[in-house]
Amino acid sequence: MGDPSLLFWLGAFVVIAFVDLVTIMNLWRSEKSFNTRLMWALIILLLPVIGLIIWGFIGPRGMPKPPTSPEQSK
């Protein structure tokens, strides 16, 4: 089948890459400045595990406010 340690590290890589991508997508939807979002995206990409931990503790908070059009409130 395959070396169990290789399969473990491959699975760990896939999970970390997926979490990084979701984090960066949420980061770009935030209302922070472009430079702040770019800085955090670079940190997360260059240091995938450590960057996620740092972002989790001191990263930008909040999501954009939902649209408030009368059509959507029906």
Side-chain angles (χ1 to χ4, degrees):
M1 183 118 174
D3 184 20
S5 64
L6 177 64
L7 292 175
F8 169 78
W9 289 113
L10 181 62
F13 172 78
V14 168
V15 168
I16 291 170
F18 178 75
V19 172
D20 279 350
L21 287 175
V22 170
T23 302
I24 290 172
M25 287 174 20
N26 286 333
L27 174 66
W28 282 109
R29 292 188 341 204
S30 73
E31 295 178 342
K32 299 298 178 183
S33 71
F34 175 78
N35 289 336
T36 301
R37 292 181 289 174
L38 181 62
M39 179 197 67
W40 277 111
L42 288 174
I43 290 172
I44 293 169
L45 286 174
L46 294 174
L47 305 167
V49 175
I50 297 171
L52 280 173
I53 293 169
I54 294 170
W55 182 81
F57 282 112
I58 61 172
R61 298 283 183 239
M63 296 299 294
K65 296 177 182 139
T68 57
S69 73
E71 287 295 316
Q72 293 179 348
S73 62
K74 291 182 180 177

